[in-house]
Amino acid sequence: MSARIGIVGGRGYTGAELLKLLAGHPGMELAFASSSSQAGQPLQPACPEWPQAGDEFVELSVDSIASQSADAWVLAVPNGVAADWARAIHRQYPESVVLD
């Protein structure tokens, strides 16, 4: 069984590096990668190693986290932004792991 990982802020440097790691990891799979500026755009330009050409960034906000789910959420967001995300994720998915 593989762990499903969600990346909030998948288009930035940290998100792109995480996508590279997930692309080749046998025990983890991408649940979603969000990007407010690149929602609907393919992942491969940000991560050429990404194996599925049809996968796209999704739009996600603190208020809409119920639209996605993951075993672990990685918050690759600017300084000072993660606290609101972490609180909302823990309210909606108390069993999920949140990494900032």
Side-chain angles (χ1 to χ4, degrees), residues 37-53:
S37 66
Q38 297 294 313
Q41 299 299 309
L43 296 179
Q44 282 185 332
C47 178
E49 299 86 356
W50 194 253
Q52 290 87 23

Side-chain angles (χ1 to χ4, degrees), residues 25-95:
H25 198 290
M28 295 184 186
E29 67 180 81
L30 182 68
F32 66 88
S34 74
S35 170
S36 56
S37 66
Q38 297 294 313
Q41 299 299 309
L43 296 179
Q44 282 185 332
C47 178
E49 299 86 356
W50 194 253
Q52 290 87 23
D55 287 351
E56 298 177 345
F57 288 105
V58 299
E59 178 69 34
L60 192 63
S61 69
V62 170
D63 296 327
S64 68
I65 61 162
S67 68
Q68 300 293 331
S69 66
D71 299 316
W73 296 63
V74 178
L75 304 179
V77 295
N79 289 338
V81 177
D84 290 338
W85 282 95
R87 280 191 291 274
I89 293 164
H90 280 299
R91 273 193 303 271
Q92 183 71 35
Y93 302 106
E95 71 287 349

